[in-house]
Amino acid sequence: MSHAIRIHRHGGPEVLEWEPVEVAAPGPGEVLVRHTAIGLNFFDVYERTGLYQAALPLTPGREAAGVVEAVGTGVSHVAAGHRVAYVGNVSGAYSELRVVSADRIVRLPDTIDDRTAAAIMLKGLTAQMLLRQVYRVRRADRVLIHAAAGGVGSLLVPWAKHLGAWVLALVGNASKVDHVRALGADEVLTTDDDWVTAAKAGTKGQGVHVVYDSVGKDTFWRSLDSLRARGMMVTFGNS
């Protein structure tokens, strides 16, 4: 029998329980995946603690990679034995086997290993949405990125640089500065530094074109102060 990590009550890591579970055969438009790697996200923690409400019992996890065990009727882009990854719109990835909607599944190339794929699906799609859809970063834009050493931030920094932006990256403490500088940020400061002044430097006091703020209330007003007129404040997450 297959197993999964389940929660029956909200709380800390101690509420996670390893249990046997029944897994159905895939129906039309579905894929049965045997997981080889599972992505971990703050979303999972928020569901476990009850910050995000979800019906219990619950199997956490939104993203994973693995091998296709079987497919339902109407599925043609993957087949049994294919390496795949997915990010789901419902939780359930903390498991050995899972039935996933086929439209959430992508086939993995040989150049991407399972652990990387499992860790990057949700965060990678988030970064793509932020940089190319919410605010479309262009060459010479000035960009402020909070939590730049985190999962999403570590993708935003090099991607924004690839698009030609000037990047001011913020981290929680000095131990993270070298890591983020290696990602290509033009300037790296801690949240204790005067980053509002840094955001306006070199712009005749105008400020940055866009702020990506995943921290929340502790940085919200200073993020607004860092923006130029008609700049965009993008707030996502609440770390």
Side-chain angles (χ1 to χ4, degrees), residues 57-211:
L58 170 74
T59 299
R62 292 292 178 114
E63 61 182 344
V67 178
V68 174
E69 291 276 304
V71 300
T73 58
V75 178
S76 58
H77 68 294
V78 294
H82 284 167
R83 294 176 58 245
V84 296
Y86 70 86
V87 55
N89 57 352
V90 293
S91 297
Y94 287 18
S95 56
E96 293 179 314
L97 284 168
R98 186 185 184 189
V99 174
V100 182
S101 178
D103 62 4
R104 295 281 170 170
I105 295 280
V106 295
R107 190 173 176 184
L108 291 178
D110 293 339
T111 52
I112 299 179
D113 65 87
D114 292 6
R115 288 189 175 189
T116 299
I120 206 169
M121 290 293 292
L122 182 57
K123 290 173 279 291
L125 287 171
T126 300
Q128 193 277 341
M129 176 192 69
L130 295 172
L131 292 171
R132 309 307 289 152
Q133 298 180 55
V134 177
Y135 176 89
R136 194 169 182 85
V137 171
R138 295 173 173 83
R139 183 170 298 280
D141 277 354
R142 298 179 74 86
V143 177
L144 170 58
I145 298 172
H146 285 273
V152 174
S154 291
L155 296 174
L156 289 176
V157 170
W159 200 335
K161 287 302 301 176
H162 175 75
L163 295 171
W166 180 90
V167 174
L168 169 59
L170 300 183
V171 295
N173 58 68
S175 68
K176 301 175 182 179
V177 169
D178 288 343
H179 166 68
V180 174
R181 186 174 287 122
L183 295 175
D186 295 279
E187 187 169 359
V188 185
L189 298 175
T190 73
T191 51
D192 293 328
D193 294 324
D194 184 3
W195 45 271
V196 175
T197 297
K200 294 183 177 182
T203 66
K204 297 181 179 179
Q206 293 183 66
V208 297
H209 293 84
V210 60
V211 175

Side-chain angles (χ1 to χ4, degrees), residues 44-57:
D44 312 342
V45 176
Y46 299 153
E47 282 196 325
R48 190 197 72 217
T49 60
L51 179 63
Y52 291 172
Q53 292 297 310
L56 299 179

